[in-house]
Amino acid sequence: MTDAQDAVIRVIDLTRTFYVGDMAVPALQGVTFTIERGEFVAIMGASGSGKSTLMGILGCLDRPTAGEYFFEGIGVSGLDEPDLARLRSERLGFVFQSFNLLPRTNALENVMLPLFYSETAEHTRAAREQRARKALAQMDIANKEKSTSGQLSGGQQQRVAIARALINEPAVLLADEPTGNLDSKTSHEIMETLLTLNREQGVTIILVTHEVDIAAYADRVITMRDGRIVADEHPARADMALRKEQTPEPAMHGRKAASNRRNGAASWYFSTMVISVALQAIGRNKMRSMLTTLGVFIGVAALIAMVAVGQGANEAVQKRIASLGTNLIVVLPGATTTGGLRAGFGSASTLTVNDARAIRREDPAAAQVSYLIRQSGQTQYANQNWTTIIQGVAPNYPPITNWQIAAGRGISEEDDQGAALVAVLGQTVYRQLFGANGSAIGATILVKGVPLRVVGLLAAKGQSGFGQDQDDLVMIPFTTAERRVLGVASPTQQTTTSWVYLPPTNPFGIQPRLTGFVNQIYVQAASPDDVQKTIDQVTETLTRQHRLMPGDLPDFSVRNLSQIATAAQGSSQIMALLLAAVASISLLVGGIGIMNILLVSVTERTREIGLRMAIGARRRQVLLQFLIEAVFLSGMGGAAGILGGVAISEIISLVGGWPTRILTSAIVGGFLFSAAVGIFFGYYPARKAARLDPIDALRYE
Ligand code: ADP
Ligand code: MG
C-alpha cells in the first residue's frame, strides 16, 4: 500500500529549529511519515506543537533544519528558488486560517491570482475568467464573483480562498486551521466541501486542526506533541482502498512538458497584471502617491526649464552672431594707464583711424576693415526729443555688420569724404521722433544740436536676445561725427548732454579736438576659417602700431563675436545653474521619498507578499512588481514635471524676457531620468520585498 510510486509526500526525520536570540526553539524534532495520493489527513495537536511549522515545510515555504522531504518522489532540498516557486504554483494549494484574500479585490480576481504566476495557465483573459468561475461555482459561490472580501462572510471568504487554492489543480491541498475563524455551522459546511473535493476529485488534503469533530472528516489523523508525532491512526481505513481505485490519476507527464513551455503571452499577461497591481496600489493611496511624486515633479520641471533657458540663451547668441556675420572680429580699445592708475575699460580710446588703415594695408586675412565712434546724445525733431546712441561709422560699416537699409539710402563714400550733414535712423529713433507713420526721409533733425538731414532708415534688428534694443541708434558719417557732431572719440567725456545746462562756450573758439580716434574697429575675415588667422595678424599689427614692448599690457583687445556673445551669456548660465541645483536636489529628495513610501508599502503588504509567494510568485516577480510601482510613481511625477517645466519656461520667457527653447530631447530625457530615479530608489525596497521569507511574511501581523 505504501509503494513509493504513489507517495505524494514523504518526510524522513524532519527537524526544524528556530532561534530566538541565542535560544533554540525546536519546533520539529524528527518527524517521519508518508502521505499517499488521495489521502485526507488531519494533523492535530496542542498549540505550539509544531503543526504550522510542518505545514510550512510541506508547502515548500520553509526549509527543514535537517531531514529529507520528497514531494512526488523529488527531493525538495535539491530544488532552487524558481523550482520551489513552480511547485507551489502548480502542485500545491494553500488555505489559511485568516483566508488571506487581497483586500479591495473581487472574488473572481482573487481566484485568478495564481494563474498569473503559472506558466501553464491559459493565456487569454476570457479563458482564465472561465476557469475561475468554474472554481467559484464548485465552491457554491458563483454569485459572489464581483464581491470584495469586505462584502463576504467568513465562510464565503474561505470558499473563495479554497477556489483560489484549487485553480491550478494542485496535487495537494494544505489547509492550516481553515475553520479556525469560522462558527461551527460554517465550519462543517466547509469540511463537507473539502470532503467532496477529496472524494470526487481525488485531491490529497492535509488539514491542521485542533478540533476533534473537524478532524473526524479525515481518514487519517496524525497527532503531534512538542514537535514529534505521537499517534498516526486510520480510523476510516476501510474505504481507503475503495476510494483509491476511483482516484483519477493526474496527467503528470503532460504537466511536466507543459511547464517547460515558456510562453511570451504568459509573461505579457504577467506584465499587465503587475502594471494593474501597481496602479491599484498607487490609486489606493492617491494623496500619499501624489505627495511622493512631488519631489520628482519639481526636479523634472526644473530640469526641463533649465535646459530650455540654457538652450534659449544659446540660440539667442547664435542668432546674434549670425546677424552680425560669423567672420566678424571686433577690436576694442583697452585700458590706458593715466598717472599710474589703470583706468577702466574703454575710459579713453586707444584706437585710431590709422590703426584701422594699418590693418587694411598690412593684414591679408582681413577682407574688410571698418570703424566707428560712438556716444550717447540727444536727437530732436520738432517738439520730440530722444536720447540715443550716435554712431559715426565708416561707409562700409552697415554692410559688414548686416545692417539693412529699409528706406532711403545708406551712408555713401561721398558723405564720408565731405563730412556731409546726413543721418540714417534706427527704427526706434524713427518711431520716437516721427511717430509710427511720419515721413522722415528729407527731414532735418538735430543731433547734439547739429542739424542733419535724414537720408535713410535702417531695417529693424530687434532685441538682442539679452533685452537690448539694437534699433535705438542714429548712424552718421564718421567724418561728420568727428568734425561736427561728437568732436572727440573719448567716451569719458560727458555723454548725456543736458540741453538745460549748456556747457560754457569757449570765448576763443578753440575746441580741443582729438581727431582720428575710434571706439571700435570691425574686421571681417575673408572666410570663417580665416578668423583665427585674422585675429593673429590684427594683434601683431596693432602691437607694432602701438609700439608695445614684450610684457606690456596690451591697450586693445581683439575678439571674435562669439567670445563677446559668450560673455553676455553668463547671466543665463547662472539661471541655468540655479535650476540645475534645484533639479538635482529635488530629484534626490523625490527619490528618497519614493524609497521611503515603498518601504512603508512593503511593510504594509508583507502578508500579501507572503501570499503571492505561497501561490507561486517567484522572488523575481515580487521584485519586479515593486520596481514597477516605483517606476510608475516616479514616471507620473516625471510626466507632470514635464508639463510643469514647459509651463515654467513659458513663464520665464513671458515674465522675465529670457529667451527659452523647449527641446524634445529634454522632454524625453526628463522622462527617462525620472524612470531611472524610480528604478534606482525603488530597487532597495523591491529587493526587501523579494527577500522576505514567505513563511515569516505570512505570519506577519
Ligand atoms: P502550532 O502551529 O502547532 O501551534 P507552530 O508550528 O506555529 O505551532 O510553532 C511551533 C513552535 O515553534 C512554537 O513554540 C513556536 O513558538 C515556534 N516558532 C514557530 N515559528 C517560529 C519562528 N519563526 N521563530 C521562532 N519560533 C517559532
Ligand atoms: Mg499553527
Side-chain angles (χ1 to χ4, degrees), residues 330-333 349 351 370-374 397 518-522:
V330 186
V331 185
L332 298 168
S349 187
L351 297 175
S370 186
Y371 47 87
L372 62 80
I373 54 175
R374 188 163 59 170
Y397 173 77
V518 300
N519 286 115
Q520 287 175 4
I521 297 174
Y522 284 82

Side-chain angles (χ1 to χ4, degrees), residues 18 20 25 27 46-53 696 699:
F18 294 104
V20 183
V25 182
S47 182
S49 56
K51 309 181 296 289
S52 293
T53 306
D696 285 344
R699 275 171 181 258

Side-chain angles (χ1 to χ4, degrees), residues 174-194:
L174 298 167
D176 193 349
E177 306 199 33
T179 60
N181 284 3
L182 303 175
D183 61 68
S184 76
K185 181 170 168 283
T186 315
S187 296
H188 286 284
E189 283 168 11
I190 292 286
M191 288 313 296
E192 289 290 347
T193 310
L194 289 181

Side-chain angles (χ1 to χ4, degrees), residues 16-88:
R16 177 71 170 102
T17 310
F18 294 104
Y19 291 92
V20 183
D22 48 7
M23 199 183 70
V25 182
L28 294 179
Q29 312 189 51
V31 173
T32 303
F33 60 82
T34 301
I35 293 172
E36 283 166 54
R37 205 174 293 289
E39 273 194 281
F40 190 159
V41 183
I43 297 175
M44 292 197 72
S47 182
S49 56
K51 309 181 296 289
S52 293
T53 306
L54 178 62
M55 289 296 261
I57 292 171
L58 296 182
C60 301
L61 294 166
D62 192 15
R63 287 181 188 271
T65 309
E68 295 290 336
Y69 172 23
F70 296 96
F71 184 86
E72 295 186 325
I74 300 162
V76 171
S77 60
L79 299 179
D80 56 7
E81 193 265 330
D83 280 337
L84 288 177
R86 190 175 304 144
L87 261 189
R88 293 197 291 263

